[in-house]
Each structure stands twice: as structure tokens, then as C-alpha cells.
Amino acid sequence: MTGPKPTSQPPAPCLVVADGPAAIDFYKAAFGAEETFRMMSPDGRRVLHANLVVNGGPVMLSDDFPEYNGGRSRDPKGLGGTPVTIHLQVADADAVFARALEAGCTAVMPLADMFWGDRYGKLLDPFGHEWSIATTIATPTREEMDAAVQSLFGQGGCQGQ
């Protein structure tokens, strides 16, 4: 049997959530996601796989299926949090941040002007995934960034990076 030719694509996060259909609707409202594909489980309640485009980049999504993972949940709430932050570099961080808050995100780190030159903040969505939102507002030199790191965190700066 022949199928489609494999293609190279950039990495794409695959978000595991509880209530995939609600998550898709949420990401549309919060981040302007476009849904390009959805495959539902045979019972019609859970998303086996969905493809979204968020801020021009691919994001995949599926419902949590603990019954196929040794009874363990893989969504952030079932795991007790997430170590991963999904970053969006946008033209207007204030507008995107406000839209996401209005849709139901919680601010984890309010927007602020950062020493590395971005207006930056972090959000937690209702499904337990963390998002960072940024707009570049300045281009500091390496020396300026090292001085800011030294001032904020002590010795070391950004050496070797």
C-alpha cells in the first residue's frame, strides 16, 4: 500500500488535555488558533488527534487516554503541572495577553519589560498548559544584558552563551 510521501516539518508540541473539544474551542478564543484537522474517538467524545495553527505554527492536540498509558494521566492537571512553556512571539503582547485572560487564562507572570528586550509575561490555560507571550521592544547589547543579569541574579551573567 502506498501513502503520502514523508515531509520534513518543524517540531510541533502535542498538547494532552482533558476535554479536547473544549480545549480546541478555548485555543481558538484565547490565541486565535485555526483548526485544520480533527479525528474523534469512536464514542465521539474525545479527540484522538487534532492539528491547530497558533500564531503561524503547528500545535497538535489530543485528549488524555489513561487507559492506554497504564492507567496514568498525561495531561498537566493529572501530572500535577507542566515543565514546558509554549512561547508565542507576537506583534502586540499586551493585546494577546489581554485576549487570553479574557478567554480564561490565569496570569502566572504579568507582562513586564524585560532586560533581554522583550515585553514578556506568562499565562496558565484552563487545561494546565503554560504559555509565554512576548513582543521585542528593544535590542540590548550583550554587555547590557550581562549587567542586568549581574544586578538581578549575582555573579555569572550570560557568559559562554
Side-chain angles (χ1 to χ4, degrees):
M1 175 179 256
T2 61
K5 293 181 182 180
T7 60
S8 252
Q9 296 180 355
C14 183
L15 306 181
V16 177
V17 297
D19 196 352
I24 292 169
D25 288 343
F26 174 80
Y27 295 132
K28 288 177 180 178
F31 302 117
E34 295 175 49
E35 180 180 349
T36 61
F37 179 82
R38 184 188 303 199
M39 180 183 296
M40 297 298 292
S41 62
D43 66 11
R45 293 190 333 243
R46 293 187 289 178
V47 174
L48 287 172
H49 180 80
N51 290 338
L52 306 174
V53 176
V54 177
N55 198 39
V59 175
M60 298 184 294
L61 180 141
S62 72
D63 260 293
D64 192 16
F65 286 87
E67 64 271 30
Y68 298 111
N69 194 37
R72 294 182 315 265
S73 175
R74 292 183 52 231
D75 77 299
K77 289 183 176 183
L79 292 171
T82 178
V84 176
T85 300
I86 303 144
H87 181 73
L88 301 179
Q89 193 74 27
V90 298
D92 185 348
D94 289 279
V96 173
F97 206 86
R99 178 180 178 169
L101 289 173
E102 172 96 12
C105 281
T106 302
V108 173
M109 177 184 203
L111 279 173
D113 297 347
M114 298 296 177
F115 69 87
W116 61 83
D118 282 350
R119 182 147 177 79
Y120 177 90
K122 286 183 170 182
L123 301 158
L124 187 66
D125 75 34
F127 303 91
H129 292 283
E130 187 175 87
W131 299 76
S132 60
I133 311 296
T135 297
T136 300
I137 57 172
T139 309
T141 66
R142 177 61 177 266
E143 291 75 22
E144 290 168 329
M145 285 193 288
D146 279 341
V149 169
Q150 180 70 25
S151 173
L152 292 168
F153 300 106
Q155 303 240 342
C158 300
Q159 297 172 8
Q161 301 298 315

